[in-house]
Amino acid sequence: MPYEPIRLGHLNQMLSKLREAIYEPIAKLNVTAWVTPEPVSFEERMSGQKITLSQGERWGKLWDCAWFCFTASIPPSGSDAKAVLLLDVNGELCLVDQEGTPVQGLTTINSEFEFTLGLPGKRVVELDHSSITVTDGTFQLWADAGNNDLFGKYQGGTVKEAMLAICHEDIRSLYYDTEVLLETAEHLPVNTARRERILQSLYDASIVLTEFTPDRIHRAKLLLNEQLSRRGGDPVLNISAVGHAHIDLAWLWPIRETIRKGARTFSTVLRMMERYPDYVFGASQPQLYDWMKQHYPKLYDQIKERVQEGRWEPQGAMWVESDTNVPGGESLVRQILYGKRYFQQEFGMEMKSLWMPDVFGYSASLPQLLKKSGVDYMMTQKLSWSEYNRHPHHSFLWEGIDGSSVLTHMPPEDTYNSPAAPRSIAKAEREYLDKNVSSHALMLFGIGDGGGGPGEEHLERLEREKNLLGLAPVVQEPSWKFFERLNEERERFQTWRGELYLEKHQGTLTSQARSKWYNRKMEKALRELEFAAVLAARMGKSYPAETLETIWKEVLLYQFHDILPGSSIKRVYDESLIRYEALLQQTEGMITETYSYITDYISSQEESSNSTVVFNSLPWERQEWLHLHGRWHKVQVPSMGYTVVSDHEDQEVMGEIATGIETDVAALETDFRDTAKEYSMENDILIVKFDPNGGITSILDKLESREIILQGQRGNDLRVYHDEGDAWDFRHDYSAQVGMPLILNDIHEFRDGPRVGLVFDYSYGESSLTQTVILTEGSRRIDFETVVDWQEYGKMLRTSFPVQIRTDQVHCEIQFGSLSRPTHRNTMWDFAKDEICAHQWVDISEPDYGVALLNDCKYGHRAINNVLDLHLLRSSSYPDPVADRAEHQFTYSLYPHQGNHVQAEIYRRGNELNIPLRLSSLSAPSMDVEEEKLPYTKAFLQPDHPHIMVESIKKAEDSNDIIVRLYETSGTRVKTKLSIGWNAEEVWEVDLMENNISSLELQDQSDVVLSFTPFEIISLRLKG
């Protein structure tokens, strides 16, 4: 045989020639298209602009749609040759039957894709296809087209190929025989007998194939059969393969195109299942299935048939493959609740695994949520993208902040787009980090992200790789079978404790700030509405269960891991922001209407037209200043209840002149730029001083005689940094430059009752920022109410507070608890966590004193040494070229405090900033309810321990019972008495799916005692 490189080159040339010889064009198709800017139905398919097309001609621009009709004469019968159609319109096609139901998806080969993972193009249609109709010797084929590739790019929108061709089945079969053997040999050790035998057989076949006659093809195939028939012995590693088509519900395309991608992908799967009886496919995301049910009901019925057969696996436990950093705790619960319920109701299947291949890091709260939802396993692969450290395991037990653990697997091929080629199997065995203790690994094969799924090449390879000598054996089976086998090895696996931090994509904690603002506001508004609706339902008002579920599901959709993180195209945000605004208005309107309904049942101690009912949905008594009817009142509202405030009451009332607080702004009317001038404001607890540029030079805690800001440093140091990254990433070393300060244009005084402060007007480039810094009487909180018109490109805006606190840890709120992270950079693992996620607060504390940074819609933080830093805005240019160039409103607050974050109850301060008291005017009842009137003030739910938070209260999914979800906030063991403001008949502890676990003893029909372990979530069902 020739020298090795020459030999391999010769064999690869033979493989290329075989591939080119599979299809022999025999006639061009007639092509007509009706082009529209948006999709139209099959019934309206000829309503667009009609054009007749030839090969190479253009048919539309990016995101255009078209209905194509392909026609040609039927080839003469009598030949054994198999006729096929070759179709490529430089976009995505969905072939339909005579009723418009999707039958098969086709995609252009031009799609941006890592071709080592396979070829994304699908262009072959068999002539006996169910979508083809025949009339008078001519066939007709209709197809719905989108002028975009798999990833939303525009590659020309031209008809590349529309041909009738002969498929040479013998050559096609020989091509896959050759491909699998050649690649197997290339991944076997040099000089092994198996490798040399394969290469010799391939070389011998190449000698025979001087031309592709049937006889020579047959002889070559016989030469290769010997090597293809050789089987392995007892396997060390077994690979479970499941077809996959990860479909981003929005990314480089709008949501409307995802629906069509689902139809194209799923119809292709069904056709492939007809050809390949071993083929097993899986797909996650009930939202995607529900779209199929709504838009393509006949296709959905076919999917259900394959699910019942066991060859189609519904996967995953969430409504969508959600981001897990930014969504709140209750959002993650609802993702699982609605996701699992959908698959149970539609397919009768209990989901036992969380399917999250492409999420940008995983909250340490997730293991508990999964265990309490009956989810035992998790699959991902995204951690393989980390930049500095390699995650040490592919199979491991992941333990959350409460101690719950789930068995987690990352396919050792480190992709969800496996080509299912010999190199895939070889890589899985070579790279599997836990192969010393595990005999099982998972392979996800097919084209994903933009959809498409497995093609012919994947399935042809797998038919030859079931048990091929030289490769680990592969079996196609659903992932649940794999996880059951992996679970048998559970005791051998190591444990990873805490968050699964992705050392990449930290920009997604800040990108598309308006989406994150709306998400936070919607989460809080839905919590408020459900609380109000539960109270109103006890008074006879119908609980809006259907409306709430509809709103929740749309909010959950926008938490998909390319929408909420900010990594989708502009159109996605143009559309979702409009919907967010409508959803928020709808929810707020329902809150107002529901509280008004409750108010009709409340009695007032005084007959006054100026009485106001103040509602508090948080589970502790709140004392706050409210401006009511032209006057300031300091109100006290009970836990998860209400009180009536009347101008005639004997209570602390403040007019428009503040007492006990002051500002020093004497020179503001002259020249505020006087470099020697300092400005200050003061309340009964704090004195805050500013330099002439608006930076905070001092915060003095008068009660503790303690200075907060480091001498010579500036607090609230607003800086602009260069940021040339995309929506996912910015440079890790951005802070090597000191950043550019804003230009201060004006300062003026703010004074409103118990609130006093300074208003700073800044500019930078084309942007403006107005910030009102406020102190309130009796409060330790310094509020920074901010309005920004941000028009920068390639920049990020941050603020930082260097404080006099020495500690190695920063405490960060996450869902249902908090997480400690290092403030030092001792190791590469510490260095990699430079940008960290937190929800409503971060806190650094010494044992007796600390400082918290609160916010009402931000998530990206940095804590290094003694500096707390908050990422406010960034303006990347890809994939949305105008990301965050808009008006923004947000508030963050600095909160110096005695004790550490637990003793200072920082979780309460974060919730108070995010969840305001709600007001409703008290008027005469609209109905005769005198005997049913509620008292002047009342608490409906009240835990007696300060560490217990009530995350949500709602109606049960399948009854009129009430679900109350609580959790322990501090990371300690707690016993608490929960007082219920009505007579309950029974109390049950339930899981997150609302299944009863155990009955709890009721005391006096209104109290129940609960014991919590650290960060434990307990859900209750209240009957009666």
Side-chain angles (χ1 to χ4, degrees):
M1 280 199 307
Y3 175 62
E4 178 80 355
I6 297 176
R7 174 173 61 168
L8 293 176
H10 174 72
L11 295 179
N12 276 296
Q13 285 181 356
M14 177 182 74
L15 187 65
S16 296
K17 290 178 181 179
L18 284 170
R19 182 172 59 243
E20 293 168 1
I22 294 173
Y23 300 108
E24 178 187 345
I26 58 175
K28 294 181 179 179
L29 304 182
N30 302 313
V31 183
T32 306
W34 288 263
V35 182
T36 56
E38 292 295 319
V40 298
S41 67
F42 180 70
E43 291 72 21
E44 299 173 312
R45 62 190 181 280
M46 289 187 283
S47 62
Q49 179 187 357
K50 181 180 179 181
I51 53 176
T52 301
L53 297 160
S54 300
Q55 189 164 308
E57 291 186 334
R58 189 180 300 266
W59 62 270
K61 60 183 184 296
L62 180 63
W63 301 125
D64 274 353
C65 304
W67 278 97
F68 274 82
C69 183
F70 303 97
T71 61
S73 298
I74 299 173
S77 58
S79 170
D80 292 335
K82 178 181 178 181
V84 298
L85 306 181
L86 304 178
L87 302 177
D88 188 346
V89 299
N90 243 193
E92 293 190 82
L93 276 175
C94 187
L95 310 183
V96 300
D97 64 17
Q98 294 85 348
E99 297 177 334
T101 298
V103 175
Q104 182 179 344
L106 304 176
T107 54
T108 176
I109 200 73
N110 276 1
S111 292
E112 285 192 353
F113 197 75
E114 185 181 346
F115 281 6
T116 58
L117 297 176
L119 299 177
K122 293 178 173 63
R123 65 184 182 116
V124 181
V125 183
E126 297 188 1
L127 203 55
D128 59 356
H129 204 279
S130 61
S131 60
I132 294 176
T133 58
V134 179
T135 306
D136 297 330
T138 300
F139 69 80
Q140 183 183 80
L141 175 64
W142 284 93
D144 184 14
N147 196 7
N148 49 270
D149 73 0
L150 285 177
F151 301 100
K153 294 299 182 65
Y154 176 58
Q155 304 286 355
T158 56
V159 177
K160 288 181 61 181
E161 189 175 33
M163 302 292 296
L164 180 64
I166 297 298
C167 175
H168 298 287
E169 281 290 338
D170 54 349
I171 298 177
R172 191 180 70 87
S173 179
L174 180 62
Y175 166 78
Y176 286 112
D177 291 349
T178 304
E179 183 205 52
V180 168
L181 284 174
L182 179 57
E183 192 169 303
T184 299
E186 289 174 338
H187 285 84
L188 288 171
V190 176
N191 296 326
T192 58
R194 174 62 167 156
R195 186 177 194 270
E196 292 304 314
R197 290 284 184 87
I198 291 175
L199 290 176
Q200 183 64 52
S201 296
L202 289 168
Y203 181 76
D204 293 344
S206 72
I207 298 300
V208 171
L209 292 172
T210 52
E211 53 184 336
F212 293 159
T213 63
D215 176 63
R216 289 180 179 272
I217 293 292
H218 178 68
R219 287 163 56 194
K221 198 164 177 55
L222 289 176
L223 287 169
L224 300 186
N225 278 347
E226 180 184 357
Q227 300 307 320
L228 283 168
S229 63
R230 290 189 178 272
R231 300 290 174 250
D234 292 337
V236 176
L237 179 66
N238 298 274
I239 295 178
S240 299
V242 58
H244 192 246
H246 175 71
I247 300 179
D248 289 311
L249 298 189
W251 178 27
L252 303 179
W253 51 86
I255 288 174
R256 65 92 157 149
E257 196 59 31
T258 305
I259 299 170
R260 286 146 49 94
K261 283 177 177 288
R264 291 189 286 259
T265 300
F266 290 172
S267 59
T268 297
V269 170
L270 294 168
R271 299 294 79 74
M272 289 292 177
M273 283 185 171
E274 294 168 356
R275 292 175 57 188
Y276 298 95
D278 289 341
Y279 181 19
V280 174
F281 175 80
S284 67
Q285 306 187 102
Q287 173 69 87
L288 191 56
Y289 286 82
D290 199 49
W291 281 334
M292 297 303 103
K293 183 179 181 180
Q294 294 175 40
H295 295 274
Y296 309 101
K298 291 185 179 179
L299 176 67
Y300 185 73
D301 288 341
Q302 296 173 41
I303 292 170
K304 292 189 78 170
E305 290 177 9
R306 290 301 190 183
V307 171
Q308 300 241 329
E309 184 185 348
R311 293 180 60 196
W312 187 303
E313 181 189 25
Q315 294 168 330
M318 284 190 175
W319 183 249
V320 303
E321 289 180 13
S322 171
D323 179 77
T324 74
N325 285 319
V326 175
E330 190 63 22
S331 290
L332 295 180
V333 171
R334 302 302 172 95
Q335 289 280 3
I336 301 170
L337 178 68
Y338 291 133
K340 288 197 65 173
R341 281 176 63 85
Y342 187 91
F343 281 149
Q344 180 66 51
Q345 291 168 353
E346 291 292 315
F347 304 115
M349 298 185 68
E350 175 76 8
M351 294 296 103
K352 303 296 289 183
S353 65
L354 181 65
W355 198 263
M356 302 286 267
D358 193 32
V359 176
F360 311 150
Y362 305 84
S363 167
S365 299
L366 267 177
Q368 180 177 194
L369 300 183
L370 298 178
K371 293 301 289 186
K372 287 183 177 288
S373 302
V375 179
D376 299 322
Y377 315 118
M378 187 180 90
M379 191 287 300
T380 184
Q381 64 85 42
K382 199 68 173 186
L383 294 181
S384 65
W385 288 40
S386 286
E387 294 186 306
Y388 301 99
N389 303 280
R390 186 179 188 185
H391 191 78
H393 302 289
H394 282 109
S395 294
F396 59 99
L397 299 175
W398 178 28
E399 184 178 298
I401 55 174
D402 73 308
S404 299
S405 64
V406 290
L407 178 57
T408 302
H409 181 74
M410 300 196 301
E413 200 179 344
D414 291 335
T415 182
Y416 49 75
N417 291 309
S418 173
R423 63 182 177 276
S424 309
I425 302 167
K427 181 181 180 182
E429 183 168 359
R430 182 177 65 252
E431 302 292 334
Y432 191 15
L433 293 171
D434 304 280
K435 60 191 172 190
N436 59 321
V437 293
S438 178
S439 301
H440 302 283
L442 189 63
M443 171 194 288
L444 307 180
F445 65 91
I447 306 300
D449 294 314
E456 171 189 289
E457 65 272 20
H458 300 87
L459 297 161
E460 290 286 347
R461 291 165 187 155
L462 287 167
E463 282 195 348
R464 292 159 174 80
E465 294 165 345
K466 294 177 183 177
N467 189 12
L468 183 62
L469 181 61
L471 299 175
V474 184
V475 60
Q476 292 191 63
E477 62 181 359
S479 65
W480 67 264
K481 288 188 177 180
F482 160 77
F483 274 113
E484 285 191 351
R485 292 196 188 96
L486 193 71
N487 193 48
E488 294 174 0
E489 302 171 333
R490 184 186 190 95
E491 299 303 319
R492 304 178 185 178
F493 296 135
Q494 298 293 312
T495 296
W496 179 273
R497 178 178 294 181
E499 68 182 324
L500 294 175
Y501 181 90
L502 177 62
E503 298 172 358
K504 197 173 178 67
H505 296 352
Q506 288 83 11
T508 61
L509 300 177
T510 306
S511 297
Q512 297 291 350
R514 288 176 293 170
S515 286
K516 292 175 172 63
W517 184 91
Y518 272 115
N519 181 75
R520 177 79 66 86
K521 302 309 176 190
M522 281 303 306
E523 289 177 333
K524 300 307 182 185
L526 284 167
R527 179 187 182 277
E528 194 80 29
L529 176 55
E530 289 180 332
F531 168 67
V534 164
L535 301 187
R538 298 201 60 78
M539 298 160 205
K541 184 175 174 60
S542 177
Y543 187 90
E546 186 175 337
T547 300
L548 275 164
E549 181 172 333
T550 299
I551 296 173
W552 261 116
K553 284 181 175 178
E554 189 166 358
V555 171
L556 299 181
L557 166 61
Y558 300 144
Q559 291 175 349
F560 178 78
H561 65 257
D562 275 309
I563 303 179
L564 185 55
S567 49
S568 290
I569 59 174
K570 178 178 182 293
R571 177 168 170 175
V572 171
Y573 299 104
D574 290 344
E575 295 172 352
S576 63
L577 290 174
I578 291 172
R579 288 298 306 147
Y580 263 137
E581 178 62 23
L583 291 170
L584 187 56
Q585 287 184 5
Q586 179 185 9
T587 306
E588 287 291 340
M590 293 175 69
I591 292 170
T592 300
E593 189 270 335
T594 306
Y595 277 142
S596 178
Y597 180 92
I598 298 168
T599 300
D600 286 344
Y601 286 82
I602 298 174
S603 61
S604 173
Q605 290 181 341
E606 302 281 348
E607 290 298 327
S608 170
S609 60
N610 288 333
S611 293
T612 301
V613 182
V614 183
F615 290 93
N616 169 28
S617 68
L618 289 174
W620 55 85
E621 183 180 85
R622 295 170 71 173
Q623 293 188 19
E624 295 186 15
W625 287 101
L626 291 177
H627 193 257
L628 303 173
H629 310 297
R631 308 179 73 186
W632 283 92
H633 301 251
K634 194 168 190 179
V635 302
Q636 182 170 304
V637 193
S639 165
M640 298 195 80
Y642 66 86
T643 195
V644 177
V645 178
S646 170
D647 283 348
H648 297 288
E649 297 173 34
D650 182 18
Q651 58 182 305
E652 189 172 355
V653 178
M654 179 176 285
E656 292 305 319
I657 304 300
T659 59
I661 56 176
E662 60 185 47
T663 56
D664 178 9
V665 290
L668 290 182
E669 298 301 322
T670 56
D671 185 1
F672 72 89
R673 294 182 181 85
D674 182 349
T675 57
K677 182 65 182 174
E678 284 192 342
Y679 314 103
S680 67
M681 60 186 191
E682 178 178 358
N683 70 357
D684 49 329
I685 301 173
L686 302 173
I687 301 174
V688 183
K689 295 181 179 180
F690 301 83
D691 68 16
N693 294 315
I696 296 176
T697 58
S698 170
I699 302 174
L700 178 65
D701 185 334
K702 296 192 294 184
L703 302 184
E704 296 294 310
S705 299
R706 180 155 182 161
E707 173 60 46
I708 309 304
I709 300 296
L710 273 175
Q711 185 175 5
Q713 302 288 316
R714 289 161 47 101
N716 192 37
D717 192 12
L718 291 162
R719 294 271 169 172
V720 177
Y721 297 87
H722 291 292
D723 178 4
E724 301 299 332
D726 53 27
W728 294 270
D729 298 292
F730 55 86
R731 286 180 60 134
H732 197 288
D733 59 353
Y734 76 90
S735 59
Q737 302 296 322
V738 296
M740 296 156 283
L742 306 182
I743 297 171
L744 181 61
N745 299 311
D746 190 23
I747 307 174
H748 57 275
E749 179 184 4
F750 168 84
R751 185 180 290 271
D752 187 6
R755 305 171 79 226
V756 68
L758 296 173
V759 181
F760 299 90
D761 289 327
Y762 296 97
S763 63
Y764 178 89
E766 301 298 317
S767 303
S768 62
L769 182 149
T770 298
Q771 190 167 76
T772 306
V773 185
I774 300 172
L775 280 177
T776 302
E777 182 179 347
S779 174
R780 288 183 162 274
R781 212 172 77 191
I782 309 168
D783 293 330
F784 300 84
E785 296 181 356
T786 311
V787 178
V788 188
D789 182 6
W790 185 248
Q791 298 297 334
E792 303 310 302
Y793 286 79
K795 300 290 189 295
M796 70 168 78
L797 174 66
R798 307 182 74 106
T799 188
S800 61
F801 294 86
V803 297
Q804 295 203 65
I805 299 292
R806 179 170 176 79
T807 179
D808 289 339
Q809 298 290 322
V810 58
H811 297 277
C812 308
E813 187 191 45
I814 62 173
Q815 304 92 340
F816 294 108
S818 62
L819 188 70
S820 298
R821 298 182 174 107
T823 58
H824 56 73
R825 302 295 183 262
N826 283 354
T827 69
M828 285 303 293
W829 291 93
D830 304 327
F831 173 79
K833 293 182 181 179
D834 197 62
E835 190 87 349
I836 52 178
C837 181
H839 281 224
Q840 299 173 135
W841 57 268
V842 295
D843 183 278
I844 56 175
S845 296
E846 295 169 358
D848 62 341
Y849 200 89
V851 179
L853 182 57
L854 319 174
N855 74 84
D856 73 345
C857 63
K858 300 300 175 184
Y859 298 89
H861 296 74
R862 187 173 188 254
I864 182 167
N865 298 324
N866 62 323
V867 181
L868 290 177
D869 179 303
L870 184 62
H871 200 163
L872 301 175
L873 294 169
R874 61 188 304 256
S875 45
S876 58
S877 57
Y878 181 79
D880 178 358
V882 295
D884 278 352
R885 279 75 151 181
E887 292 186 359
H888 304 266
Q889 293 188 23
F890 50 84
T891 298
Y892 55 90
S893 305
L894 198 72
Y895 188 85
H897 57 82
Q898 300 162 318
N900 60 25
H901 73 287
V902 175
Q903 295 160 340
E905 299 175 351
I906 295 303
Y907 87 94
R908 288 187 170 186
R909 308 294 86 83
N911 277 292
E912 288 165 353
L913 177 63
N914 281 268
I915 301 175
L917 297 170
R918 298 281 182 152
L919 310 180
S920 184
S921 296
L922 184 63
S923 58
S926 59
M927 62 191 91
D928 184 11
V929 292
E930 292 300 319
E931 294 183 3
E932 302 178 32
K933 275 198 170 184
L934 293 168
Y936 175 76
T937 186
K938 183 175 178 61
F940 288 96
L941 281 175
Q942 184 169 8
D944 68 357
H945 197 288
H947 295 173
I948 300 302
M949 173 65 185
V950 178
E951 180 74 1
S952 65
I953 175 171
K954 62 182 284 288
K955 189 184 83 68
E957 293 296 311
D958 297 321
S959 72
N960 289 322
D961 299 340
I962 295 171
I963 301 296
V964 180
R965 192 160 2 266
L966 314 93
Y967 71 96
E968 197 283 319
T969 63
S970 67
T972 190
R973 298 177 187 274
V974 162
K975 180 174 284 189
T976 187
K977 180 177 71 174
L978 177 66
S979 298
I980 305 167
W982 62 88
N983 289 334
E985 298 173 3
E986 297 178 23
V987 178
W988 287 78
E989 183 177 352
V990 298
D991 63 18
L992 295 180
M993 295 302 296
E994 303 182 7
N995 300 308
N996 288 350
I997 298 174
S998 61
S999 176
L1000 301 178
E1001 182 181 354
L1002 262 172
Q1003 300 175 358
D1004 300 324
Q1005 290 188 296
S1006 61
D1007 295 336
V1008 61
V1009 176
L1010 303 171
S1011 294
F1012 290 81
T1013 57
F1015 296 126
E1016 183 180 10
I1017 303 165
I1018 293 180
S1019 299
L1020 303 177
R1021 178 191 297 274
L1022 307 183
K1023 290 180 175 288

